Amino acid sequence: MKNLFEIAEACLHNPDVDKKLALTHRAKWLLEHRQLDFTASQPVLAIGEVKFPETPILQAPRHMPKRNLTTQDGVIAFFHAITHVEFMAIYLAWDLLYRFRGLPEQFYQDWLIVADEEAQHFELLQQHLRRFNVEYGDLPAHNGLWDHAVETAGDLLARLAMVPRCMEARGLDVTPGIIAKFTAKGDEVAVAILNRILTDEVKHVERGSFWFKTLCHQRGLVPETQYQNLISQYYRGGKPKGPFNRDMRKVAGFSDAELDWLEAG
Ligand SMILES: [Fe+2]
Ligand SMILES: [Fe+2]
């Protein structure tokens, strides 16, 4: 298999975790070795056709195990939760490039690189969970991230606003505080993993901002106004609550006007 969209279809419609990871890395290898075919010939399957593994069992957020980082169970619950976020991030990157066609080749290259980095994040965390004798899927998880993908399946600007520029951007706000807690505990392994992920996530959000702005300009839309409209339309509760990491979000392509709007109560 050397066609990007065939690989994307296989990754999204095959629940097997190891195969998904291997195919994702293979697609990135094909890109690096200029052997990847970007021809889109098959129709896009409906988002309801996407398949997930049987575990973790998906439950409402209020049923998630407590993530109190002062106990070992809490640390395990925290790492299992972010392992699930990274697993869903693999799907989200693949779905973005699979579902939206007719864009420049650079768009597809960018999101393939993101999918590959999400797979690396997942593998780092899967390994880390195994240090506690826990496998991904042993604890329940919640499915909020995928709901946003389903709701924005027909609107690329809404997808970019809600997924990289809202849900992924939240990671930039909260991860530095979590890294500080693990630093205080002297947990160097956890700190190294979280720092690696944070560095990559800034790039992912930046690619979201870049494509959001590029597509707005092409369509004669003002990015700031579009961002506000789409978040207000799709985010339950109107918009995310701060505090926001202004410095990192600016590196990731947020404008002062967008940050001012987010921060205004
Ligand atoms: Fe990630
Ligand atoms: Fe990401």
Side-chain angles (χ1 to χ4, degrees):
M1 218 189 290
K2 289 195 172 179
N3 180 281
L4 177 68
F5 300 101
E6 281 176 30
I7 298 174
E9 191 170 306
C11 282
L12 290 168
H13 301 92
N14 185 338
D16 188 283
V17 176
D18 293 335
K19 277 189 195 148
K20 193 183 316 294
L21 297 170
L23 261 181
T24 304
H25 295 320
R26 173 168 163 75
K28 172 73 185 325
W29 187 93
L30 290 168
L31 173 68
E32 279 172 351
H33 293 81
R34 298 175 181 276
Q35 292 178 33
L36 191 63
D37 173 13
F38 291 85
T39 318
S41 50
Q42 298 298 316
V44 179
L45 300 176
I47 196 158
E49 298 293 316
V50 173
K51 304 263 185 316
F52 298 95
E54 284 175 15
T55 59
I57 292 166
L58 301 174
Q59 293 183 341
R62 66 181 183 281
H63 293 130
M64 291 303 107
K66 295 268 176 294
R67 303 183 205 170
N68 177 352
L69 298 182
T70 58
T71 69
Q72 169 132 325
D73 282 350
V75 168
I76 290 169
F78 165 76
F79 276 110
H80 192 278
I82 65 166
T83 307
H84 180 65
V85 168
E86 297 297 343
F87 187 67
M88 295 310 299
I90 305 170
Y91 274 85
L92 289 166
W94 276 122
D95 195 75
L96 186 48
L97 68 77
Y98 173 72
R99 202 156 302 286
F100 300 98
R101 302 286 170 94
L103 292 145
E105 201 170 288
Q106 186 64 48
F107 177 89
Y108 300 102
Q109 294 186 12
D110 282 349
W111 297 108
L112 170 55
I113 291 166
V114 171
D116 184 63
E117 288 181 351
E118 305 297 16
Q120 292 175 41
H121 298 170
F122 174 79
E123 287 161 337
L124 280 170
L125 290 162
Q126 188 185 39
Q127 249 176 10
H128 194 56
L129 280 177
R130 285 175 180 159
R131 295 187 178 106
F132 302 101
N133 287 321
V134 174
E135 281 294 323
Y136 171 59
D138 285 354
L139 300 182
H142 74 86
N143 209 18
L145 280 173
W146 192 250
D147 292 343
H148 297 303
V150 172
E151 286 161 14
T152 58
D155 184 340
L156 175 54
L157 283 180
R159 174 67 67 87
L160 291 168
M162 276 306 290
V163 176
R165 305 201 78 214
C166 185
M167 305 317 289
E168 268 188 306
R170 294 301 292 150
L172 310 187
D173 302 328
V174 300
T175 309
I178 297 167
I179 291 173
K181 284 187 187 165
F182 281 104
T183 304
K185 282 157 62 84
D187 188 340
E188 289 172 17
V189 177
V191 170
I193 294 171
L194 294 171
N195 269 324
R196 158 73 201 282
I197 291 174
L198 181 59
T199 304
D200 289 344
E201 294 307 331
V202 177
K203 295 183 292 178
H204 302 174
V205 179
E206 189 281 329
R207 285 295 86 190
S209 296
F210 171 83
W211 285 108
F212 184 81
K213 285 188 251 182
T214 301
L215 294 167
C216 281
H217 289 138
Q218 278 175 7
R219 298 176 189 186
L221 302 166
V222 180
E224 278 89 354
T225 314
Q226 274 309 301
Y227 184 69
Q228 293 177 17
N229 291 345
L230 291 167
I231 295 297
S232 304
Q233 186 181 342
Y234 286 95
Y235 192 90
R236 292 176 200 105
K239 58 182 175 176
K241 305 263 178 293
F244 301 99
N245 185 336
R246 277 191 89 105
D247 290 346
M248 260 187 202
R249 279 180 177 251
K250 284 185 80 167
V251 175
F254 277 84
S255 68
D256 279 313
E258 287 168 334
L259 291 165
D260 290 344
W261 175 74
L262 284 170
E263 279 179 347

